[in-house]
Amino acid sequence: MRIMKEFFVIVLILVFASSCGNRNNDSNIDQSTSFITQQEDGTVVLDLEKAYLLEDSLHPDMNTAEWSVRIKSKGRYELWLTSYTKDTMDLQYEGPVYINFQDKRIKAETIIGNEIVLDTPGLGDMYFRADSKLGSIYVENPGDYNIQLVGSKVRPFETTALSNSTRHTELRSLILKPITE
């Protein structure tokens, strides 16, 4: 009987201690979760430096960036990939890039610079900005969504290290542009 009481007390202590720890962790998660929201013109800019990054050293083509996004208005959005590159004619993406949004998966086989943006601040003389159109998504209802970008160019990015980088192309962001009718 005494062993049973001691066991019961130990179980109660463990349950109490674990519930206290979970309560603190939940509040920390709530405080650290921040959604990226739309700009005034409806554009959503998903910078790589604000993403949750998952790097796979054995399979770099599975590197993943994920964002929590708050979309305020329904409609169709074009998906644009922003890259900083040394040669806008050849971005040198190895393998496809995937975008996962709800139940939709967009696969972009060939990444080309559809728009070249001149005079981008902070790029210096070695890099140029190339924006690549990847497709579009439709947002039925305003709300909170997760968006994933998967590909070998998904890796940590620092603007300050750009001038010393030996990489040919740096993935910078994913942009959602509303299509106006």
Side-chain angles (χ1 to χ4, degrees), residues 133-146:
K133 185 177 177 181
L134 303 182
S136 67
I137 56 172
Y138 184 75
V139 176
E140 181 72 34
N141 298 310
D144 299 337
Y145 296 94
N146 286 330

Side-chain angles (χ1 to χ4, degrees), residues 41-55:
D41 65 355
T43 302
V44 179
V45 179
L46 304 172
D47 283 322
L48 201 60
E49 61 193 22
K50 294 181 181 176
Y52 171 76
L53 293 178
L54 176 63
E55 289 186 84

